[in-house]
Amino acid sequence: TTITMRIKFSFSKNTSNVIINNQSLVNSYIHKCLGKNNIYHDAKNDYNISQLYGGKLNADNKTISFNEGGYIVVSSLNTEFINKLICGILMNPKFINGMVFSGTEFIQEHFYNGWNHFATLTPFIIKTYPNREKYKFLKSTDENFEEKLKEKNKYIFLKFTDDNFNEKLKQYLKRKLSAIDKTLDLSNFDVKVPIHNDHKTKDVLIKNVINTGNLCHISIYTNKKVAELLYNIGIGQSTGSG
């Protein structure tokens, strides 16, 4: 086995209620800690940031309270990114709604050659564009150009309830991994999502856009190097945004 780690950043209880759609607040804080105009903002990322956890929904169904404090989990193989984030949080301990940074915890995991079993911490999002080829050579002079253009750019979210989900997820992950490192051994790569009563889809608001993600268990057959890489960069898209 090989060992890796991710970091849990904890914060004190809130002094005012936190809005339920708080991901943009979390993202803003992370980038504040990374520094103004940092190279990671709106760029292709090699890190994974969770949503804010530890709270309970209030009676108004619009806000959350963190009476025992809250936390976010961050992972990355980029040590420069991790070091910058840790230093930035130490220099900016005030989080949101009166919550203050209170400590870190390093989480260790083991990876194997063969099957590795994951439970997603936050919903993973995968967008697909089914109509790209249909209008591949679309021109401004084409009939109904504007409508066709909207259709071409329209995407759908891959859901674990979709037909052939395992195969679609497998092919997506192979493309993602190959784009990161073409030398990775993906010859025996396989993905299976077991049947489980707790699996569900969840809508996530990112930049005022509702995205549909999947919360489920995933089993991945691969070598421990690839398993560790996936663990650190995250399964889907928008991994740097919760």
Side-chain angles (χ1 to χ4, degrees):
T1 63
T2 185
I3 298 176
T4 189
M5 60 185 175
R6 56 176 53 184
I7 306 175
K8 177 181 178 181
F9 294 97
S10 297
F11 301 89
S12 63
K13 66 179 294 184
N14 56 306
T15 57
S16 62
N17 290 341
V18 180
I19 58 173
I20 191 169
N21 293 315
N22 54 63
Q23 192 59 49
S24 61
L25 299 178
V26 174
N27 295 348
S28 294
Y29 174 73
I30 292 294
H31 287 290
K32 176 183 178 181
C33 293
L34 290 170
K36 186 177 181 181
N37 300 322
N38 66 79
I39 61 174
Y40 308 102
H41 190 62
D42 288 335
K44 193 171 184 179
N45 60 64
D46 55 1
Y47 56 89
N48 193 6
I49 296 173
S50 78
Q51 297 175 359
L52 176 59
Y53 281 95
K56 291 186 177 180
L57 187 65
N58 293 320
D60 59 11
N61 290 320
K62 295 180 180 179
T63 59
I64 306 173
S65 289
F66 295 83
N67 296 326
E68 303 298 324
Y71 66 91
I72 57 177
V73 179
V74 179
S75 64
S76 178
L77 293 174
N78 186 334
T79 54
E80 182 180 353
F81 168 83
I82 290 293
N83 289 336
K84 280 187 176 181
L85 181 59
I86 292 174
C87 291
I89 289 178
L90 290 173
M91 293 176 64
N92 299 276
K94 293 183 179 180
F95 185 31
I96 58 174
N97 297 82
M99 301 174 75
V100 179
F101 172 66
S102 59
T104 58
E105 178 183 344
F106 292 86
I107 305 170
Q108 292 187 329
E109 296 287 355
H110 295 266
F111 301 96
Y112 305 88
N113 291 320
W115 285 106
N116 292 265
H117 306 285
F118 302 90
T120 52
L121 178 63
T122 56
F124 67 89
I125 294 168
I126 299 177
K127 300 173 184 176
T128 61
Y129 297 81
N131 294 305
R132 268 182 174 164
E133 293 302 317
K134 188 175 180 181
Y135 301 112
K136 187 174 182 180
F137 301 106
L138 185 63
K139 295 182 292 186
S140 60
T141 54
D142 290 347
E143 187 178 359
N144 299 322
F145 169 76
E146 291 186 2
E147 290 302 315
K148 289 180 179 180
L149 184 61
K150 288 180 183 178
E151 187 67 21
K152 178 183 178 181
N153 293 326
K154 189 182 295 182
Y155 54 78
I156 60 175
F157 294 101
L158 186 63
K159 302 176 184 177
F160 76 91
T161 53
D162 292 342
D163 292 337
N164 300 319
F165 178 79
N166 288 350
E167 183 61 25
K168 291 176 182 176
L169 179 59
K170 173 183 173 180
Q171 296 305 323
Y172 165 78
L173 290 177
K174 289 181 72 173
R175 289 194 300 271
K176 179 174 182 174
L177 289 164
S178 295
I180 294 171
D181 185 352
K182 295 185 182 300
T183 68
L184 291 173
D185 180 10
L186 303 175
S187 56
N188 295 315
F189 188 85
D190 200 7
V191 177
K192 293 189 184 300
V193 176
I195 298 174
H196 198 285
N197 291 333
D198 289 341
H199 289 182
K200 61 183 178 181
T201 58
K202 183 179 179 180
D203 289 337
V204 182
L205 187 66
I206 302 175
K207 294 182 178 179
N208 295 318
V209 176
I210 295 177
N211 298 261
T212 302
N214 301 277
L215 276 170
C216 60
H217 295 259
I218 300 177
S219 295
I220 299 177
Y221 189 90
T222 187
N223 58 73
K224 58 188 178 184
K225 179 180 179 180
V226 173
E228 181 180 11
L229 178 59
L230 281 175
Y231 180 83
N232 280 283
I233 65 173
I235 296 294
Q237 298 164 326
S238 301
T239 58
S241 192

